């Protein structure tokens, strides 16, 4: 870690220095938004799941324009706009008493996610280069989880479904922490625009369109893999997992909050070790391992549903989060690194927008499927669908490996032998 920090440019250090604080507010609300909508505001579970999907729907709609604008205007401008929408969305959601008001707040939050992801990844890639870029994505992910995990614990101990004011407070805190990146971008990072000029001989009409980028087999497989991985992973974090925990496993909000903390602790403990193991190895192989690990995690959660309300059910939820965390430490350094190593500097925003769109697509489908299956008491089917998705991710990683260059896959090419005299 000391060597990594020393190798970072000043701008990279600034970006990392406040990550945990920025995401603390997100951790306060992440595990409890669907509980807030369902148990505090009184919306039925199916409607709550659909409302949660609006975050990803809005994000998906704006991701394409956000990637193009990132390339044209620079990442800094787009990130500032995202901060404003995140603040407004969380502030509105804090007082939303009707589905319409909640929908507007969630859409604003989704707009922030849709434009900020490609912009933030493009900004990182503009600041950090070479092998350290993969390490940066991994360290950033660990710090994100520190903030989310601490927030999850605090939120689980603080919120009370019988007191709507406790939920109002956590959403307002989330709104305020969304302004921290704006302070950095207007202060010490005001000179970092995150924009690269196109080469003189570049044919933007033929290479910069999303259709042209997706015609590349490696990009197409990576996009599909990301979509399915998010559907069975992060697409379940805000609706499926809390919903399954409450409705099927019959766990308390405190246990659910602690489970998110367990997830964070394991990520922080393992991420740096995993990063050292990943260096110089094929990223696609790490994704295959991730898929297998996630199968085990979902089977553990399925076991929790067989003994609802028991200590075994609580252990199943905690086991799921710990095992799932290991898979996350393999996913987060690899997929963004592959996407950015495939991209040219002047169209990096578009490549990251495609990754973001795949993420949002999986996050759209995740809550909808989870809400439908859980509302119809199909907990076992829910777990089976997730397991099948994990298997599909592993098979797609095999296909991606056949279509990606060794350099983009994290492996330096073998040096050519020096001919003899």
């Amino acid at each position: 870690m000391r060597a990594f920090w020393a190798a970072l440019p000043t701008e990279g250090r600034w970006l990392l220095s406040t990550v945990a604080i920025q995401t603390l507010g997100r951790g306060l609300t992440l595990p409890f938004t669907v509980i807030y909508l369902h148990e505090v505001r009184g919306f039925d579970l199916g409607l709550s799941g659909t409302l949660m999907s609006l975050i990803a729907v809005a994000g998906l709609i704006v991701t394409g324009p956000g990637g193009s604008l990132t390339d044209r205007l620079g990442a800094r401008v787009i990130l500032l706009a995202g901060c404003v929408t995140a603040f407004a969305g969380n502030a509105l959601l804090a007082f939303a008493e009707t589905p319409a008001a909640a929908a507007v707040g969630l859409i604003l939050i989704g707009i922030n996610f849709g434009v900020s992801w490609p912009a933030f990844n493009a900004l990182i890639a503009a600041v950090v280069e070479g092998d350290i870029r993969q390490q940066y994505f991994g360290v950033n992910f660990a710090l994100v989880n520190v903030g989310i995990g601490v927030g999850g614990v605090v939120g689980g101990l603080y919120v009370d479904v019988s007191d709507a004011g406790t939920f109002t407070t956590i959403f307002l805190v989330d709104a305020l922490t969304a302004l921290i990146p704006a302070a950095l971008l207007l202060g010490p990072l005001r000179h970092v625009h995150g924009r690269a000029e196109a080469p003189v001989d570049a044919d933007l009409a033929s290479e910069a369109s999303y259709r042209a980028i997706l015609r590349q087999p490696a990009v197409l497989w990576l996009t599909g893999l990301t979509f399915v991985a998010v559907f069975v992973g992060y697409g379940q974090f805000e609706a499926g997992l809390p919903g399954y925990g409450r409705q099927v496993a019959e766990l308390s909000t405190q246990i659910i909050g602690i489970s998110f903390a367990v997830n964070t602790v394991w990520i922080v403990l393992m991420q740096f070790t995993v990063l050292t193991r990943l260096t110089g190895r094929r990223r696609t192989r790490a994704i295959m391992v991730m898929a297998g690990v996630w199968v085990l995690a979902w089977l553990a959660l399925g076991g929790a549903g067989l003994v609802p309300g028991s200590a075994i059910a609580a252990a199943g939820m905690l086991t799921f989060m710990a095992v799932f965390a290991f898979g996350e430490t393999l996913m987060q350094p690899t997929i963004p690194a592959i996407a950015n190593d495939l991209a040219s500097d002047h169209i990096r925003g578009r490549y990251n927008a495609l990754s973001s769109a795949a993420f949002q697509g999986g996050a759209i489908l995740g809550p909808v499927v989870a809400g439908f299956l859980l509302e119809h008491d199909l907990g076992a089917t829910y777990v089976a669908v997730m397991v099948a998705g994990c298997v599909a991710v592993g098979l797609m990683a095999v296909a991606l490996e056949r279509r990606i260059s060794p350099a983009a896959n994290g492996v330096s090419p073998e040096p050519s032998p020096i001919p003899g005299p």
Side-chain angles (χ1 to χ4, degrees), residues 66 69-82 115-116 118-124 126 185 192-196 349:
L69 290 173
T70 295
D71 290 331
R72 294 174 185 174
L73 304 178
R76 177 177 175 272
V77 172
I78 304 304
L79 285 171
L80 286 171
V115 301
S116 294
F120 184 69
N121 281 356
L123 191 68
I124 290 174
L185 294 168
V192 180
H193 53 73
R195 183 179 66 252

Side-chain angles (χ1 to χ4, degrees), residues 23 140-150 263-265 267-268 328:
T23 54
N140 181 77
F141 176 64
L143 293 176
V144 164
N145 277 273
V146 169
I148 289 178
V150 172
N263 179 266
T264 293
V265 168
I267 287 172
V268 173
E328 291 178 84

Side-chain angles (χ1 to χ4, degrees), residues 289-300 323 383 386-391:
V289 174
M290 175 205 78
V293 167
W294 281 3
V295 167
L296 298 177
W298 279 109
L299 292 176
V323 176
V383 173
M386 298 302 115
V387 170
C390 294
V391 173

